[in-house]
Amino acid sequence: MEALISIMVLSIIILYFTSKLSNYIKYGGRRFYKYKNKWNNQYNKQSKIERSLEYMYDGKIRVKRIMNKEENQIYYTILKIFKNNYNVNTQVSFKAFLDAEYGTKSWLSFRDFYCDFLLTYKIGEDYHKPAAVIEYHGSGYYGDSEESKSRVMQNDFIKNAVLSRVGIKIFIIKEEDIKNDKRYIDNKKLEELLISIYSQIRNLENQNALD
């Protein structure tokens, strides 16, 4: 009889600790506690965390440069020419400077897009508002297949349409416009092109001020 009671007690203890351990999830060699939602007794709130942790440890996450060598050269040249009147922001999500109700079709139309360089006003009433976008189409921009080229061209068309709708001018720097031999950027050509872009932006602002 005593042996039977001991087995029952041991079974209860094992069940108790098993249920406790089931409240932990393990990812990447670490254990995380699963909190229950106190309102509906489900794991709705924690499930997003669990899912993110699962995805996080599914593969390697690496740090990468936000600009390559050519983009870096263009960035510092833009900074040199535009710095008195504009801030120069790199690799900016459209969601950072365009606003639409979350989840709507309007929001979905631009949520995945980024721009290489976003110019924002440095002074005045429009301080930190977008002034223009500059994109660089370097080697490999369209990828290495017709499918990739078609996808990039479609995305560019949508980006241009969205920016046009909100009145933000986009300028494209093409590789052939700033290189001598398609290998190295010619600083003189780059500066001349950026000075031209700067003048166009200023002229547009002056025209808008007169309207």
Side-chain angles (χ1 to χ4, degrees):
M1 186 66 179
E2 290 182 359
L4 181 60
I5 294 174
S6 297
I7 292 172
M8 291 176 64
V9 171
L10 181 61
S11 298
I12 292 171
I13 293 172
I14 290 172
L15 286 171
Y16 173 78
F17 281 105
T18 301
S19 66
K20 284 291 185 182
L21 288 172
S22 68
N23 286 331
Y24 287 86
I25 52 175
K26 187 175 182 180
Y27 296 117
R30 300 177 64 186
R31 291 200 310 163
F32 300 89
Y33 188 76
K34 297 195 293 187
Y35 292 96
K36 288 186 177 181
N37 187 309
K38 63 182 180 180
W39 288 280
N40 57 17
N41 202 32
Q42 294 179 356
Y43 297 109
N44 292 337
K45 185 175 181 181
Q46 188 65 8
S47 64
K48 181 178 180 181
I49 298 175
E50 291 175 20
R51 188 166 56 250
S52 296
L53 290 170
E54 181 181 353
Y55 294 166
M56 186 190 309
Y57 288 102
D58 186 58
K60 289 185 177 181
I61 300 176
R62 304 176 182 86
V63 175
K64 68 174 186 178
R65 294 181 176 88
I66 63 170
M67 291 187 290
N68 60 34
K69 186 176 180 180
E70 290 184 349
E71 290 168 338
N72 190 64
Q73 184 175 350
I74 292 169
Y75 167 73
Y76 280 106
T77 309
I78 293 174
L79 202 61
K80 173 183 174 183
I81 295 168
F82 288 79
K83 64 181 180 181
N84 288 336
N85 295 294
Y86 305 96
N87 298 300
V88 184
N89 310 275
T90 64
Q91 301 298 326
V92 183
S93 167
F94 275 36
K95 291 186 293 185
F97 62 92
L98 296 180
D99 192 23
E101 185 178 348
Y102 177 83
T104 61
K105 290 180 180 179
S106 295
W107 181 80
L108 291 171
S109 71
F110 64 78
R111 66 170 182 175
D112 296 326
F113 293 138
Y114 284 76
C115 62
D116 292 332
F117 307 100
L118 174 69
L119 303 178
T120 58
Y121 294 104
K122 206 168 191 176
I123 55 176
E125 294 180 358
D126 292 327
Y127 172 71
H128 269 318
K129 282 187 177 181
V133 164
I134 298 177
E135 292 271 86
Y136 174 53
H137 293 183
S139 60
Y141 177 76
Y142 291 107
D144 54 6
S145 68
E146 286 300 316
E147 182 182 356
S148 173
K149 182 177 180 179
S150 175
R151 183 173 61 254
V152 171
M153 290 178 69
Q154 288 179 45
N155 287 340
D156 284 348
F157 181 87
I158 299 169
K159 287 165 73 172
N160 291 344
V162 170
L163 293 174
S164 176
R165 183 182 175 189
V166 296
I168 298 176
K169 184 72 174 175
I170 182 170
F171 297 90
I172 309 298
I173 299 175
K174 296 180 180 179
E175 184 179 39
E176 57 267 27
D177 294 333
I178 58 173
K179 289 184 177 181
N180 286 323
D181 55 8
K182 287 202 171 183
R183 290 187 62 192
Y184 301 107
I185 293 176
D186 184 309
N187 283 326
K188 184 178 179 181
K189 284 188 173 184
L190 176 60
E191 286 195 10
E192 287 175 351
L193 179 59
L194 288 173
I195 289 171
S196 173
I197 291 174
Y198 178 86
S199 297
Q200 290 179 63
I201 294 173
R202 299 298 287 176
N203 288 337
L204 285 171
E205 291 172 1
N206 291 334
Q207 290 175 16
N208 291 334
L210 294 174
D211 293 341

